[in-house]
Amino acid sequence: MKRLLLILTLLTAASTSVLGQKDTLEFSETYLDTVQIPVNKVINDYSMIGISYGVNFCGQNFNPEFQQKWNFYPGYFSLTFSHYEKLFDYLPYFGFSVGLAYAKEGFEFATDKTTGEPVRTMRGAYKCSVDLAEIPFLIEGHYDAEKVRLLMNLGPYAGYRFNMVREGQVEEALKNGFDDTDIRFDFGLIAGLGIGYVLEPFEFHLKGQFRFSWQNMVKPDYLDQYKYYFASPMGVTVQVGVYYHLTRRRGKTNAELKRQARDIVYGTREQ
């Protein structure tokens, strides 16, 4: 097609020169739209936005270590913006995502099999749950087939604990609140794997993420200034999400195709 177009262009230029007309060729926008360009099947740099819902299986990393139960917390929500492009302009299967999420975390001490009582309490509480708002920033890796994507992510998050509920022999003021020994700012690491199904312009994801906090829930010396106790949340989040493509995942937009048609016809790109 390009060869035929080149021959037609040369014949047109020669005829207009013989007739004494101007040598510069002008083509209408309608004609440029008809120029056939091979379809580009390579995945572009592209962006998307999405929402997710999930559940969290959470416990605590205690030091000294105490027996505990892993708790199930439904109601994980997130809003995420993702952008995929070549890492360092070389590695094609990377990108990043940033978002805003609501999660729950907490702990519950195990019970003694003989007495039925909790093996210990923390400030009178044998169970505690925390509402958390967090902002994750993750490096995204992906491997793409035509309709299926394999996903992985890794990166830090920062959060703020805005509500705490304690159960047990707890002071009334602490059952639904914080005091000076509680730490409300949270930060840590997220690592995850997932799979996606693409039905352009939408994607549907199933992900599993491991969250590990680097911040205690209470000040280490809350009981004894000479003996520290550490308790930082950790958990596994399973979530499903739907994403909308803000730019094309494959091929070119109409504007890009028109610019490429102009380049083929004139030999130089439009400035």
Side-chain angles (χ1 to χ4, degrees):
M1 182 64 191
K2 289 183 178 180
R3 183 173 298 177
L4 177 59
L5 180 60
L6 177 61
I7 293 173
L8 292 175
T9 302
L10 292 174
L11 290 175
T12 305
S15 63
T16 54
S17 178
V18 170
L19 294 175
Q21 299 175 357
K22 70 177 185 178
D23 295 335
T24 304
L25 296 176
E26 296 291 341
F27 295 94
S28 68
E29 295 294 323
T30 302
Y31 172 75
L32 290 174
D33 289 339
T34 65
V35 177
Q36 298 296 315
I37 299 174
V39 177
N40 182 5
K41 288 294 185 180
V42 177
I43 294 177
N44 302 323
D45 295 348
Y46 73 102
S47 302
M48 62 184 182
I49 190 170
I51 56 174
S52 298
Y53 171 83
V55 297
N56 191 22
F57 300 90
C58 188
Q60 292 278 321
N61 181 33
F62 287 110
N63 187 9
E65 186 174 351
F66 303 106
Q67 289 183 320
Q68 62 176 307
K69 300 176 181 179
W70 278 66
N71 288 320
F72 171 77
Y73 295 109
Y76 175 90
F77 299 95
S78 69
L79 174 65
T80 305
F81 170 80
S82 301
H83 177 71
Y84 298 103
E85 63 179 18
K86 291 182 180 179
L87 185 65
F88 307 122
D89 201 32
Y90 178 71
L91 300 172
Y93 303 115
F94 287 88
F96 71 89
S97 69
V98 62
L100 178 64
Y102 163 80
K104 292 182 73 72
E105 60 188 20
F107 66 87
E108 181 178 0
F109 291 112
T111 55
D112 188 285
K113 293 182 179 179
T114 57
T115 65
E117 297 294 324
V119 294
R120 70 160 285 132
T121 61
M122 181 179 288
R123 306 176 70 184
Y126 69 91
K127 183 177 181 179
C128 178
S129 62
V130 179
D131 295 285
L132 173 73
E134 63 183 27
I135 300 176
F137 183 85
L138 307 178
I139 298 299
E140 298 272 354
H142 62 103
Y143 178 78
D144 290 60
E146 184 65 30
K147 292 293 185 181
V148 178
R149 307 179 61 222
L150 300 180
L151 310 163
M152 63 178 295
N153 51 57
L154 177 67
Y157 75 90
Y160 184 76
R161 299 163 180 149
F162 61 87
N163 186 47
M164 179 180 289
V165 177
R166 297 176 173 93
E167 298 181 31
Q169 301 298 321
V170 185
E171 297 177 19
E172 192 65 30
L174 293 180
K175 287 185 177 180
N176 292 278
F178 300 87
D179 71 2
D180 292 340
T181 63
D182 295 314
I183 299 176
R184 304 184 69 169
F185 175 70
D186 188 23
F187 65 95
L189 185 70
I190 295 176
L193 295 172
I195 187 170
Y197 179 76
V198 182
L199 190 63
E200 294 190 73
F202 294 97
E203 291 188 20
F204 303 91
H205 291 183
L206 173 63
K207 295 179 182 179
Q209 291 183 330
F210 176 74
R211 299 169 64 255
F212 185 85
S213 175
W214 290 330
Q215 180 68 285
N216 285 332
M217 291 185 65
V218 295
K219 294 180 179 179
D221 60 350
Y222 80 102
L223 281 179
D224 188 335
Q225 62 176 329
Y226 301 107
K227 185 176 182 180
Y228 283 7
Y229 293 86
F230 298 94
S232 54
M234 60 181 179
V236 175
T237 302
V238 179
Q239 54 186 281
V240 293
V242 57
Y243 295 80
Y244 177 76
H245 294 172
L246 299 176
T247 54
R248 289 179 65 95
R249 178 172 177 259
R250 290 182 179 271
K252 298 180 181 293
T253 64
N254 291 335
E256 290 171 332
L257 290 172
K258 185 176 292 187
R259 283 195 296 271
Q260 188 171 349
R262 186 181 297 275
D263 183 51
I264 291 174
V265 173
Y266 291 115
T268 57
R269 292 195 180 277
E270 182 183 14
Q271 299 297 322

